[in-house]
Amino acid sequence: MKVDDKFQILKFFAAVFNSVFLILGLCIFGCAVWILFDKDNFIAVLSSVEVKTVAGGLFIIGLMVVGVTIVGCVGAQLENRFFLLLYMGFLICIVLGQLFVTFIILLSREKITSEMKMEVNKTMTEYGTNPDNQRHWKLLDDVQRYGHCCGMQVPNDWQGNLFIMNTSLTEVFPCSCFNTTDCPAISGYSTTLFGNGNETHIHPQGCQKMITDWLKENTLTIVGMDMGLLIIQVLQLIVYVYLYQTVGQKAKLRCVSQLIRSEDHREPNPDYLDDPDYPDQNHAYPEPNQPYAHTNLAYPEQILAYPEPRQAYSEDQHQAYSGPNHAYHR
């Protein structure tokens, strides 16, 4: 396969993996924003270090994914090996961060669930008495109303509420526990948070299972996106290693091509007698009246072609030209 064809195929796979990588990264970033800034979910009730660490880690990973994707696209488009190396280095850093966040989620899952139960029980105890926690009251009302449940394990868990304990009544529950349209009013009280009714008017099951299932589903969703991102990163790393090698091969081929073109268009060397690239010039024919310096080359008879003036004659030549009118002196 030609280097250019191989490079185009690798660029295509790199673009596909980068697209999936960016989508998953934005999903993880959205989860982090939801955990950190959305105050209308039960995660906001938790104030544990593990939850904040996980949310902060997901937030940083999401931001890095966006930046790293841009670096990878620029490196592949410009065929820049520095950007490709930078991209692969950032990928390794993100992988390490993902493994850290995943281990925290898996190891602290039971602790987070336990803290969630404690926070819900605390909210149930202070419900209707501590105005500072009205946001938590609303969250608990939404869980009971839309989850069709009451209390943590059983409806009687509400008997530990401070307001209900002060009423000295045994059939008082929050209005969100009732399965009727209207909340039965409590005689002698003007509260709109509680109602008076027997167990036939309230949801019979507790909310613990629904809360723990909700927490487990969200945890598995985050871990699943994290693992999917990790698989994509491994594939990206493989593609970009080959892409880095292919860019190097293309650079070498360009250098060789430029050298060949420069050799073809090179000007002749005026000092060709000393230039080893022009050995044929050393075989040029000698000028007339000059002795041939290379006796082992072609045309050696030119040595005698042009004798020098006043050249000495042989004995036969002397006799041929000697006579009474032709005196010859050596």
XYZ file of all heavy atoms in Angstrom, residues 52-95:
327
model
N -17.551 15.164 45.644
C -16.924 16.367 45.090
C -15.685 16.022 44.271
O -15.421 16.646 43.230
C -16.553 17.315 46.227
C -17.762 17.909 46.937
C -17.342 18.866 48.032
C -18.565 19.494 48.705
N -18.181 20.432 49.800
N -14.920 15.016 44.731
C -13.728 14.612 43.977
C -14.107 14.024 42.628
O -13.494 14.336 41.595
C -12.914 13.584 44.788
O -12.556 14.150 46.048
C -11.656 13.184 44.039
N -15.127 13.172 42.627
C -15.586 12.571 41.375
C -16.104 13.648 40.421
O -15.771 13.665 39.225
C -16.672 11.522 41.650
C -17.340 11.077 40.354
C -16.080 10.307 42.364
N -16.915 14.563 40.949
C -17.469 15.616 40.095
C -16.364 16.511 39.536
O -16.363 16.860 38.344
C -18.467 16.448 40.888
N -15.405 16.889 40.378
C -14.294 17.713 39.898
C -13.440 16.996 38.864
O -13.016 17.589 37.861
N -13.200 15.693 39.099
C -12.425 14.917 38.126
C -13.125 14.811 36.783
O -12.494 14.967 35.730
N -14.426 14.572 36.802
C -15.182 14.496 35.552
C -15.200 15.838 34.829
O -15.138 15.892 33.591
C -16.615 14.037 35.839
C -16.783 12.614 36.367
C -18.258 12.349 36.690
C -16.279 11.592 35.373
N -15.279 16.925 35.580
C -15.282 18.258 34.984
C -13.966 18.528 34.249
O -13.956 19.000 33.098
C -15.510 19.296 36.084
C -15.711 20.686 35.584
C -16.971 21.125 35.200
C -14.648 21.570 35.499
C -17.166 22.415 34.730
C -14.826 22.858 35.035
C -16.086 23.290 34.655
N -12.841 18.203 34.893
C -11.526 18.435 34.279
C -11.337 17.525 33.066
O -10.825 17.949 32.016
C -10.412 18.209 35.318
C -10.508 19.271 36.421
C -9.041 18.265 34.655
C -9.558 19.047 37.562
N -11.763 16.265 33.181
C -11.625 15.331 32.062
C -12.425 15.810 30.859
O -11.960 15.757 29.711
C -12.061 13.924 32.496
C -11.035 13.313 33.452
C -12.239 13.004 31.287
C -11.472 12.012 34.077
N -13.652 16.296 31.106
C -14.471 16.794 30.000
C -13.824 17.967 29.283
O -13.832 18.035 28.049
N -13.259 18.895 30.045
C -12.579 20.028 29.423
C -11.351 19.586 28.639
O -11.093 20.072 27.527
C -12.163 21.043 30.500
C -13.279 21.885 31.125
C -12.701 22.814 32.186
C -14.022 22.688 30.071
N -10.589 18.659 29.190
C -9.388 18.182 28.504
C -9.733 17.453 27.211
O -9.003 17.540 26.226
C -8.572 17.270 29.429
C -7.861 17.988 30.544
S -6.763 16.895 31.483
C -5.536 16.505 30.230
N -10.842 16.733 27.211
C -11.244 16.007 26.002
C -11.478 16.976 24.853
O -11.050 16.738 23.713
C -12.504 15.168 26.275
C -13.139 14.701 24.974
C -12.154 13.954 27.140
N -12.143 18.099 25.141
C -12.414 19.082 24.089
C -11.104 19.647 23.543
O -10.886 19.727 22.327
C -13.305 20.211 24.630
C -13.522 21.280 23.570
C -14.655 19.643 25.079
N -10.191 20.035 24.448
C -8.922 20.593 24.000
C -8.057 19.592 23.262
O -7.444 19.911 22.232
N -8.010 18.358 23.764
C -7.174 17.328 23.144
C -7.704 16.972 21.762
O -6.929 16.700 20.834
C -7.103 16.086 24.053
C -6.490 14.912 23.327
C -6.287 16.397 25.293
N -9.019 16.963 21.581
C -9.597 16.670 20.273
C -9.158 17.706 19.244
O -8.824 17.365 18.097
C -11.128 16.646 20.362
O -11.535 15.672 21.327
C -11.736 16.291 19.024
N -9.119 18.963 19.642
C -8.665 20.019 18.722
C -7.197 19.814 18.354
O -6.811 19.928 17.184
C -8.879 21.398 19.366
C -10.379 21.650 19.579
C -8.270 22.496 18.506
C -10.687 22.923 20.331
N -6.369 19.475 19.346
C -4.943 19.238 19.077
C -4.760 18.063 18.109
O -3.954 18.116 17.174
C -4.187 18.983 20.386
C -2.744 18.549 20.117
C -4.180 20.230 21.252
N -5.528 16.988 18.314
C -5.419 15.828 17.427
C -5.832 16.141 16.007
O -5.176 15.705 15.052
N -6.903 16.899 15.841
C -7.347 17.255 14.483
C -6.326 18.143 13.778
O -6.044 17.959 12.585
C -8.702 17.955 14.553
S -10.081 16.899 15.086
N -5.758 19.096 14.502
C -4.754 19.986 13.904
C -3.510 19.191 13.510
O -2.944 19.374 12.426
C -4.399 21.117 14.884
C -3.200 21.913 14.383
C -5.591 22.036 15.084
N -3.069 18.279 14.402
C -1.881 17.486 14.091
C -2.066 16.591 12.886
O -1.162 16.470 12.049
N -3.252 15.983 12.752
C -3.500 15.122 11.599
C -3.652 15.920 10.313
O -3.208 15.489 9.250
C -4.749 14.277 11.842
N -4.269 17.092 10.407
C -4.492 17.889 9.204
C -3.198 18.518 8.693
O -2.941 18.551 7.487
C -5.522 18.987 9.506
C -5.988 19.738 8.284
C -6.785 18.867 7.331
O -7.464 17.927 7.744
N -6.708 19.165 6.039
N -2.373 19.014 9.616
C -1.126 19.674 9.224
C 0.040 18.702 9.094
O 1.136 19.114 8.719
C -0.771 20.759 10.253
C -1.780 21.894 10.435
C -1.269 22.883 11.468
C -2.051 22.597 9.114
N -0.179 17.429 9.437
C 0.869 16.417 9.399
C 2.058 16.843 10.257
O 3.222 16.727 9.871
C 1.316 16.151 7.964
C 0.183 15.688 7.054
C 0.651 15.422 5.639
O 1.870 15.277 5.444
O -0.204 15.363 4.732
N 1.721 17.345 11.441
C 2.730 17.851 12.372
C 2.996 16.792 13.434
O 2.111 16.449 14.222
C 2.236 19.153 13.016
C 3.318 19.865 13.786
O 3.946 19.297 14.666
N 3.542 21.119 13.438
N 4.216 16.284 13.473
C 4.541 15.210 14.412
C 4.577 15.705 15.850
O 4.296 14.947 16.779
C 5.887 14.592 14.041
C 5.933 14.011 12.638
C 7.248 13.326 12.368
N 7.247 11.989 12.904
C 8.326 11.216 12.968
N 9.491 11.674 12.534
N 8.253 9.997 13.462
N 4.897 16.990 16.060
C 4.899 17.526 17.423
C 3.491 17.519 18.006
O 3.281 17.104 19.152
C 5.466 18.950 17.422
C 5.338 19.639 18.751
C 6.172 19.297 19.805
C 4.369 20.619 18.952
C 6.045 19.931 21.037
C 4.240 21.250 20.171
C 5.080 20.908 21.221
N 2.508 17.969 17.235
C 1.127 17.959 17.711
C 0.635 16.537 17.934
O -0.155 16.281 18.857
C 0.223 18.692 16.722
C 0.246 20.184 16.855
C 0.996 20.950 15.985
C -0.454 20.819 17.850
C 1.035 22.327 16.100
C -0.433 22.198 17.982
C 0.315 22.955 17.104
N 1.067 15.609 17.097
C 0.665 14.214 17.288
C 1.238 13.654 18.581
O 0.547 12.940 19.325
C 1.126 13.375 16.094
C 0.482 13.721 14.741
C 1.063 12.841 13.645
C -1.028 13.572 14.798
N 2.492 13.956 18.874
C 3.088 13.514 20.147
C 2.388 14.168 21.335
O 2.130 13.514 22.354
C 4.578 13.857 20.159
C 5.518 12.930 19.398
C 6.938 13.458 19.455
C 5.463 11.511 19.957
N 2.069 15.463 21.205
C 1.364 16.162 22.267
C -0.006 15.545 22.502
O -0.455 15.371 23.647
C 1.233 17.638 21.895
C 0.782 18.607 22.991
C 1.829 18.667 24.091
C 0.553 19.991 22.408
N -0.676 15.192 21.427
C -1.997 14.564 21.518
C -1.913 13.233 22.262
O -2.718 12.958 23.164
C -2.539 14.362 20.103
C -3.869 13.665 20.027
C -5.059 14.358 20.208
C -3.946 12.298 19.765
C -6.285 13.729 20.136
C -5.166 11.662 19.689
C -6.333 12.381 19.870
O -7.536 11.730 19.805
N -0.942 12.397 21.892
C -0.810 11.096 22.546
C -0.442 11.237 24.021
O -0.915 10.478 24.876
C 0.222 10.244 21.807
C -0.241 9.782 20.430
S 0.909 8.651 19.613
C 2.177 9.810 19.090
N 0.361 12.238 24.350
C 0.700 12.472 25.754
C -0.514 12.882 26.571
O -0.729 12.389 27.694
N -1.347 13.765 26.021
C -2.567 14.170 26.713
C -3.537 12.994 26.849
O -4.251 12.884 27.860
C -3.241 15.317 25.977
C -2.645 16.661 26.277
C -2.345 17.536 25.264
C -2.377 17.035 27.579
C -1.792 18.778 25.536
C -1.822 18.265 27.872
C -1.526 19.150 26.841
N -3.592 12.141 25.837
C -4.464 10.960 25.927
C -4.076 10.087 27.112
O -4.937 9.601 27.857
C -4.380 10.148 24.638
C -5.300 10.534 23.479
C -5.125 9.562 22.332
C -6.754 10.584 23.909
N -2.786 9.877 27.293
C -2.323 9.051 28.413
C -2.697 9.704 29.741
O -3.138 9.024 30.685
C -0.811 8.827 28.301
C -0.493 7.990 27.053
C -0.273 8.124 29.539
C 0.978 7.833 26.773
N -2.567 11.019 29.839
C -2.949 11.726 31.067
C -4.441 11.578 31.351
O -4.844 11.366 32.511
C -2.574 13.202 30.951
S -0.797 13.515 30.902
N -5.255 11.680 30.313
C -6.707 11.539 30.504
C -7.049 10.120 30.939
O -7.924 9.906 31.793
C -7.449 11.912 29.215
C -7.274 13.405 28.910
C -8.931 11.598 29.328
C -7.901 13.846 27.614
N -6.374 9.135 30.366
C -6.623 7.742 30.757
C -6.325 7.539 32.238
O -7.100 6.903 32.972
C -5.777 6.790 29.886
C -5.786 5.383 30.472
C -6.307 6.755 28.467
